[in-house]
Amino acid sequence: MTSPVWPVIVLPLVSSAVLLLCGSRTDRWGHLLGTAASLASFGCAAVLFVGMLGRGGEERAVHERLFSWVPVGDLRVDFGLQLDQLSMCFVLLITGVGSLIHIYSIGYMKEDAGRRRFYAYLNLFLAAMLLLVLADNYLGLYMGWEGVGLASYLLIGFWSHKPSAATAATKAFVVNRVGDVGLVLAVILMLTHVGTVDYDGVFQAAPRLGEGTLTAIGLMLLLAACGKSAQVPLQSWLGDAMEGPTPVSALIHAATMVTAGVYLIVRSGPVFDLAPHAQTAVVVVGAVTLLFGAVIGCAKDDIKKALAASTMSQIGYMVLAAGLGPAGYGFAIMHLLTHGFFKAGLFLGAGSVMHAMDDEVNMRRYGGLRKALPVTFVTFGLGYLAIIGIPPLAGFFSKDGIIEVALGAGGVKGVILGAATIVGAGITAFYMTRVMLMTFFGEKRWAASAHPHEAPAVMTWPMILLAVGSVTAGGALAIGGTLQHWLEPVVGADEIHHVLPVWAVTAIVLAVVAVGIAVAHRMYRTERIRTVASEWVSPMTHAARRDLYGDAVNEALIARPGHRVTVLLTELDRRGVDGTVEGVARVIAAFSHRIRPLQNGFARSYALSILVGAAAVLASLIVMRSS
């Protein structure tokens, strides 16, 4: 008998409800309850994982039907959970990395008056993301999807007294609602053409659906993924989301929100595999975004925004791999898992630097911090080596795997995708080396009043554990095809077409990475770094500082036309609809005013009217009788 799955979700959800409903009475121990609930959820996940290892590949999936959710006519949607090899990867990542972020937050949020509320929102976030990946149908996934959107809004705007935080939360919420429309339309198409939203039912019916229908469903799912995973064209919210507390950034970027879109695409693989046009759109979005985010990261002086651009780029790698079908699904998930370790470590390291520098985020005012923050320097440095793909760290195995799959796409497609992924690796090496050099090396550029100091143990130990994962996770998942074999019963498998020997691809990528490191070293190690960025920069740098005009494009193509349409509809409503109603009312009022004298209240007038009416009736009867 297998252990139940539902406690994994219920534990953080109940703790969130307790912290919110009991209010200030839980202030003293709320952070401990929130952390304990997250750890307990991870413990349940570990038990389920061990139980899954004890069963054969085809018997590992666990289905739980909790209750009948939507019994309407012929439509029946159960509220059920599905724990298989794919969802298990996410459950362990969410609860494991999420628990480390909870522990780190005990120190980071120690002086914050709203710490109890912060932990309530964190656990709401975990519960929603767990529901998203554990639901056995698209309606349950949608419920978790919207829960993640709500929790991200609350956490990004946690310091809502800051106008920038309130604006960033609203922006994230609105942009994600655009993507959510895609998921809603996809669910509607499934109900219309299949009659169910259960994964098994949709995937079994997919071969019988027309390519046009499958393409429409795939494109709507991609739109949803673009919103949650900050992919072009719905990427503009991610940089502004750094206004929330740094642990929120780590949770959003490493373990929860931005991974949701990748999960949606991989989970919906049977749909995309039969819709080549939608699959191509996925690949294009991933390729464009991985370069888009990398270029933006090169020009950011805010350490958190540089890492946010990095996340956009790395998720682009995952989306590209997911768009290449069964050959790429495993590598997409592998990079997602390794990214969970090194990106969480990088963000927590950035939080440690901010903690030491009185919340300063401008890297131009750092410099030489490696001696003052030795633990942060080492752990951040290992995350840096992992993300740029230095062997044998985690990112090397997962990113090089994606590059090989991209090259193996064949023909012109393979050349373009391979070039994009390799160039992206070089740019990644440049901007991450830039972050390292500006923060930990060179001369001290901080204010005289600053006294950098290492973070307390409650913050450094999670960073150390994440650094260990950044070093070991890639090899553990890649050697012998461990993760590929694990996922094969769910996502399938396909052979990679190697156009070059593996060692040749590795050599090319490492050479490009070395160039990126050398250029960054030349620019930021051997030359003096100004504490204030120069206003006289190249057009490309200017564009990157403005996020490649993502907000400007949205303003021009969506916001302004949308405003004009809204004004037009408002005028139509005011002059057309309201005018018609008010016109009818005026006509009736005028007519009423004219006939009002007939009702004067005098009995003699009414008697005369009765007499005249009776005479008219009598006369008409006489006329009719005589005729």
Side-chain angles (χ1 to χ4, degrees):
M1 181 177 179
T2 60
S3 301
V5 178
W6 57 265
V8 175
I9 302 174
V10 169
L11 285 167
L13 183 62
V14 169
S15 70
S16 176
V18 169
L19 294 177
L20 289 173
L21 295 177
C22 294
S24 59
R25 287 172 290 183
T26 64
D27 281 349
R28 293 181 59 186
W29 45 268
H31 58 289
L32 300 177
L33 174 63
T35 303
S38 180
L39 287 169
S41 182
F42 175 66
C44 292
V47 170
L48 290 167
F49 177 62
V50 172
M52 186 175 284
L53 289 175
R55 300 190 296 274
E58 300 298 331
E59 300 174 352
R60 284 174 171 165
V62 175
H63 293 266
E64 283 185 1
R65 177 185 176 276
L66 300 181
F67 55 86
S68 181
W69 192 11
V70 185
V72 181
D74 294 332
L75 176 64
R76 181 185 181 89
V77 180
D78 293 332
F79 194 97
L81 304 177
Q82 174 177 305
L83 181 67
D84 55 21
Q85 291 90 325
L86 176 61
S87 53
M88 176 57 79
C89 291
F90 282 82
V91 169
L92 290 173
L93 175 70
I94 295 164
T95 57
V97 174
S99 294
L100 293 177
I101 294 171
H102 275 65
I103 296 170
Y104 176 95
S105 300
I106 293 175
Y108 190 88
M109 300 294 290
K110 182 178 180 180
E111 304 300 329
D112 197 292
R115 183 167 64 168
R116 179 261 313 164
R117 179 167 51 90
F118 177 77
Y119 272 86
Y121 296 162
L122 280 185
N123 281 13
L124 177 62
F125 209 153
L126 289 189
M129 189 65 192
L130 288 167
L131 174 59
L132 189 157
V133 300
L134 285 171
D136 67 352
N137 61 76
Y138 283 98
L139 196 58
L141 181 148
Y142 179 73
M143 184 177 179
W145 195 270
E146 291 301 319
V148 167
L150 170 62
S152 67
Y153 171 78
L154 296 172
L155 286 168
I156 294 169
F158 182 75
W159 290 324
S160 57
H161 59 277
K162 296 166 53 180
S164 57
T167 300
T170 302
K171 183 177 182 179
F173 190 81
V174 171
V175 173
N176 273 272
R177 296 294 74 72
V178 176
D180 294 352
V181 171
L183 186 54
V184 170
L185 293 176
V187 171
I188 291 173
L189 287 170
M190 293 172 193
L191 289 172
T192 302
H193 293 278
V194 182
T196 182
V197 291
D198 292 342
Y199 294 147
D200 291 341
V202 172
F203 299 158
Q204 290 173 9
R208 301 194 300 271
L209 300 177
E211 185 176 326
T213 301
L214 291 170
T215 299
I217 293 174
L219 291 176
M220 291 302 99
L221 293 175
L222 174 60
L223 178 61
C226 286
K228 278 290 183 289
S229 293
Q231 300 292 283
V232 174
L234 300 179
Q235 81 292 342
S236 62
W237 66 270
L238 192 62
D240 293 319
M242 299 303 97
E243 290 293 336
T246 300
V248 173
S249 303
L251 192 64
I252 288 176
H253 288 249
T256 55
M257 189 167 179
V258 296
T259 65
V262 180
Y263 172 80
L264 179 64
I265 295 172
V266 175
R267 174 61 76 186
S268 305
V271 173
F272 284 100
D273 292 343
L274 296 172
H277 296 300
Q279 207 169 42
T280 299
V282 173
V283 171
V284 170
V285 166
V288 170
T289 306
L290 78 87
L291 295 174
F292 197 94
V295 170
I296 292 173
C298 294
K300 293 298 182 184
D301 294 331
D302 183 319
I303 187 170
K304 289 174 65 178
K305 290 191 175 183
L307 294 177
S310 168
T311 297
M312 188 193 309
S313 179
Q314 298 304 306
I315 299 294
Y317 273 100
M318 302 172 206
V319 170
L320 185 152
L324 293 173
Y329 291 147
F331 287 107
I333 299 303
M334 184 190 298
H335 198 50
L336 187 149
L337 296 174
T338 59
H339 179 266
F341 285 104
F342 58 69
K343 185 50 64 67
L346 289 169
F347 266 111
L348 296 190
S352 178
V353 172
M354 292 168 58
H355 179 268
M357 298 294 291
D358 298 326
D359 290 329
E360 177 63 67
V361 296
N362 190 343
M363 293 184 292
R364 292 183 176 276
R365 296 171 186 165
Y366 291 165
L369 288 175
R370 67 185 186 279
K371 295 181 180 178
L373 309 174
V375 176
T376 300
F377 168 63
V378 172
T379 56
F380 194 98
L382 290 172
Y384 152 72
L385 294 175
I387 193 174
I388 67 174
I390 300 299
L393 280 76
F396 164 73
F397 295 96
S398 56
K399 188 182 292 185
D400 274 33
I402 292 174
I403 293 172
E404 289 176 17
V405 173
L407 289 168
V412 176
K413 180 180 179 181
V415 172
I416 294 174
L417 296 180
T421 53
I422 293 172
V423 170
I427 302 175
T428 301
F430 172 82
Y431 69 72
M432 286 306 304
T433 302
R434 175 179 180 267
V435 170
M436 281 295 295
L437 294 177
M438 292 181 72
T439 302
F440 296 104
F441 291 89
E443 61 183 8
K444 302 175 182 179
R445 300 183 300 278
W446 60 72
S449 59
H451 300 284
H453 54 282
E454 188 60 270
V458 73
M459 294 172 62
T460 56
W461 271 108
M463 293 159 53
I464 292 170
L465 292 175
L466 289 169
V468 172
S470 299
V471 174
T472 62
L477 296 173
I479 294 175
T482 302
L483 184 64
Q484 306 285 36
H485 295 314
W486 171 261
L487 292 172
E488 186 173 346
V490 181
V491 303
D494 197 2
E495 291 292 329
I496 301 175
H497 176 61
H498 293 285
V499 296
L500 293 171
V502 174
W503 65 264
V505 174
T506 299
I508 293 171
V509 174
L510 288 178
V512 173
V513 167
V515 171
I517 294 172
V519 173
H521 187 276
R522 173 67 181 83
M523 293 178 63
Y524 295 97
R525 181 68 188 275
T526 60
E527 295 185 5
R528 182 181 178 86
I529 298 174
R530 300 177 180 179
T531 56
V532 179
S534 174
E535 295 182 0
W536 301 97
V537 294
S538 67
M540 188 62 186
T541 301
H542 184 267
R545 286 180 179 176
R546 297 190 61 186
D547 298 336
L548 296 182
Y549 305 110
D551 286 335
V553 170
N554 289 339
E555 179 76 14
L557 297 182
I558 300 175
R560 289 177 186 171
H563 176 71
R564 294 191 186 101
V565 170
T566 301
V567 171
L568 177 63
L569 293 175
T570 301
E571 287 298 308
L572 177 63
D573 180 70
R574 186 173 66 84
R575 298 185 180 184
V577 179
D578 290 351
T580 301
V581 173
E582 292 172 0
V584 171
R586 284 194 292 270
V587 169
I588 294 175
F591 181 72
S592 300
H593 180 73
R594 296 302 180 104
I595 66 174
R596 189 177 299 141
L598 298 177
Q599 300 291 330
N600 54 23
F602 294 112
R604 58 179 179 271
S605 298
Y606 299 153
L608 179 61
S609 299
I610 294 172
L611 177 62
V612 172
V617 171
L618 182 60
S620 62
L621 291 174
I622 293 173
V623 171
M624 291 175 62
R625 188 177 181 82
S626 60
S627 61

